[in-house]
Amino acid sequence: MPSAFSRRQFLATAAAVGLVGSPAAADDGSCVGQDVADGVVWQRTYGEDESLKVTDAVAHGDGFALAGIDRDAGTSGRSWLRRVDGDGREQWRREYGDDERRSVTSVAVTADDGFLLAGTAGEGRAEQFVTKTAADGGEAWTTTVDVSGRDTFAAELDDGSVVLCVATPSPEPTYPHLTLLDSAGEVSESRTFDDRDGRQIRAEVVADDGVVLAGTRDSDEAEGWLWHVTVGDGIEIDRSAEFERKIIAADRFDEGGLVLAGTNSTWLAQLGPEWEVEWEQTEFEPDPHIKDVSSVPGGVAACGYHWGEGCARPPWAFRANDDGTTWHASVDDSPRLKWESVLPANEGDRVVVAGSDYGGDGSSATLALVEAPESSGEESTTTESNRTTTAGGTTNTNGTTAGPNRTTASGTSTDGTTEETPTTDDDTGTAAGELDGFGIGAGIAALTAALGYRTQRSRDDD
């Protein structure tokens, strides 16, 4: 559903952050960390006496839900789901898969405020499962699919059907596999794209008539890829694009655009409704490895870690606002704390991050509210040298072409015309915008999570 949308300035952050303490009290069995960094308003920990790993998190009503696995569960396996309020106080917890090995890798919210949990089942990731729950986490149904793989995702479509996707088999080589289930969990159709080998799925986003898949590819020509897959009349690839950068996370924003994050040189990019590259950024300070990206009210947010001294990888969060300001925060004295998911906060210029803390004998789940650190300040100065827009175009399967203008500081094309530099997807004959003009910063669209898009994002495993 192509539509015009506004652009905003997007700048790189330059300042490092210091550390201060800000303890708080908990009343629900979770605890709040005592070594809270500058910029971290509060940080809650769950399951300190267990060995928990967070694999995904989502916003849910006025609170949040964390999903993960119990690493002490042994060969039986056990997945869990925790619902917390807007201040991180635990409201309930559920466990799944006591009698069989189930390891959840992703969670999504459904139209009835329930959840979809997806992951691997059986020994050696031999099967994939999807569990539908009620709003209180109670299990409604579970379907297991006899397909091996990893990085499993599930998304609910407007008609209540569910698309389960995974890269199969495991290990390499891998092929994208999609299973369509009805609202009761019955399998209605499935397809393995066995002519598209060497592809890992890293994200699934609900789109018109199906889903958008994003991931990485083992190829000398392109390392990132996007597919729009329709499921209305068979499971078919409607549109595809390939990129020089690996795509490890994606989110959707107003009118069908996408925000992407990737590696092999950290980058963020915004794509318009026709997948034209609107802006991209590869230079950050400090140098981070992004694990997740999210559209948030009034901007975009990302999280991951940055490269510290020696082998240290302290957690890192980043936000760019519509007014052109940006900030980053890091807990530099907690290299064993990992932030895996970034979510919109319920107030102000803040974000929520979820992950795991491996600092003790085991591991625990964590959730933190993060804001601009006092020691870094917010940047708002704009110069022509730190804003670029890639002049890449995309040719869709219907033959239409879109190519953004090259943008100067005044926001106009350098020559008044559209410059198109599409590349060809060897698998489909579809041309796609190359991410070959990376700059330091760029203009960003007014992103919003308040529109209720149900999105599933992924983080790579390294």
Side-chain angles (χ1 to χ4, degrees), residues 13-73:
T13 308
V17 298
L19 300 175
V20 298
S22 180
D27 54 12
D28 56 358
S30 63
C31 71
V32 177
Q34 299 301 302
D35 295 322
V36 180
D38 184 13
V40 178
V41 181
W42 51 255
Q43 179 172 296
R44 291 189 178 268
T45 302
Y46 315 91
E48 283 195 307
D49 297 330
E50 304 172 68
S51 187
L52 305 183
K53 176 182 178 181
V54 173
T55 56
D56 200 12
V58 290
H60 184 250
D62 59 356
F64 309 95
L66 288 72
I69 58 175
D70 185 345
R71 302 166 74 220
D72 280 342

Side-chain angles (χ1 to χ4, degrees), residues 194-259:
D194 52 12
D195 58 339
R196 313 294 177 89
D197 63 326
R199 296 176 190 266
Q200 290 285 351
I201 300 173
R202 299 300 191 185
E204 181 183 35
V205 178
V206 176
D208 294 337
D209 302 321
V211 294
V212 171
L213 303 181
T216 61
R217 181 186 179 191
D218 295 330
S219 171
D220 293 335
E221 299 177 356
E223 296 192 67
W225 58 276
L226 287 176
W227 287 357
H228 176 212
V229 180
T230 59
V231 296
D233 186 15
I235 300 175
E236 301 291 343
I237 301 173
D238 177 64
R239 191 198 315 180
S240 66
E242 294 199 334
F243 303 88
E244 292 180 349
R245 307 287 179 173
K246 294 180 179 179
I247 301 173
I248 59 171
D251 196 11
R252 183 182 179 181
F253 65 94
D254 192 17
E255 305 299 345
L258 294 169
V259 176

Side-chain angles (χ1 to χ4, degrees), residues 13-325:
T13 308
V17 298
L19 300 175
V20 298
S22 180
D27 54 12
D28 56 358
S30 63
C31 71
V32 177
Q34 299 301 302
D35 295 322
V36 180
D38 184 13
V40 178
V41 181
W42 51 255
Q43 179 172 296
R44 291 189 178 268
T45 302
Y46 315 91
E48 283 195 307
D49 297 330
E50 304 172 68
S51 187
L52 305 183
K53 176 182 178 181
V54 173
T55 56
D56 200 12
V58 290
H60 184 250
D62 59 356
F64 309 95
L66 288 72
I69 58 175
D70 185 345
R71 302 166 74 220
D72 280 342
T75 57
S76 63
R78 186 163 63 243
S79 295
W80 54 265
L81 180 68
R82 277 173 162 79
R83 209 285 185 183
V84 303
D85 65 16
D87 293 321
R89 295 183 177 87
E90 184 174 298
Q91 297 180 314
W92 52 257
R93 72 188 78 174
R94 299 276 189 172
E95 295 181 349
Y96 310 89
D98 287 337
D99 299 328
E100 61 185 38
R101 185 175 181 83
R102 275 197 250 167
S103 297
V104 63
T105 59
S106 66
V107 61
V109 179
T110 58
D112 61 359
D113 288 329
F115 300 92
L116 287 176
L117 303 175
T120 61
E123 295 293 332
R125 299 169 174 164
E127 299 173 319
Q128 309 302 309
F129 78 89
V130 56
T131 295
K132 170 68 173 69
T133 82
D136 64 357
E139 187 170 338
W141 52 259
T142 294
T143 298
T144 302
V145 179
D146 189 17
V147 175
S148 66
R150 56 175 293 177
D151 292 333
T152 310
F153 303 95
E156 182 186 60
L157 305 182
D158 289 340
D159 62 359
S161 60
V162 174
V163 179
L164 179 70
C165 65
V166 65
T168 186
S170 181
E172 307 286 352
T174 57
Y175 310 89
H177 176 92
L178 277 73
T179 301
L180 181 64
L181 303 91
D182 63 22
S183 58
E186 297 294 326
V187 175
S188 59
E189 189 175 0
S190 65
R191 179 177 178 181
T192 299
F193 292 90
D194 52 12
D195 58 339
R196 313 294 177 89
D197 63 326
R199 296 176 190 266
Q200 290 285 351
I201 300 173
R202 299 300 191 185
E204 181 183 35
V205 178
V206 176
D208 294 337
D209 302 321
V211 294
V212 171
L213 303 181
T216 61
R217 181 186 179 191
D218 295 330
S219 171
D220 293 335
E221 299 177 356
E223 296 192 67
W225 58 276
L226 287 176
W227 287 357
H228 176 212
V229 180
T230 59
V231 296
D233 186 15
I235 300 175
E236 301 291 343
I237 301 173
D238 177 64
R239 191 198 315 180
S240 66
E242 294 199 334
F243 303 88
E244 292 180 349
R245 307 287 179 173
K246 294 180 179 179
I247 301 173
I248 59 171
D251 196 11
R252 183 182 179 181
F253 65 94
D254 192 17
E255 305 299 345
L258 294 169
V259 176
L260 307 179
T263 59
N264 65 325
S265 182
T266 298
W267 62 278
L268 289 175
Q270 175 193 305
L271 273 58
E274 300 300 323
W275 292 0
E276 68 274 19
V277 179
E278 296 268 328
W279 59 255
E280 55 198 5
Q281 173 170 340
T282 58
E283 296 188 20
F284 300 84
E285 179 65 33
D287 183 23
H289 179 98
I290 297 177
K291 304 285 279 187
D292 194 23
V293 65
S294 177
S295 60
V296 296
V300 62
C303 76
Y305 60 82
H306 73 86
W307 300 103
E309 295 182 3
C311 297
R313 297 189 292 182
W316 170 89
F318 174 85
R319 174 167 173 141
N321 299 313
D322 292 346
D323 61 4
T325 61

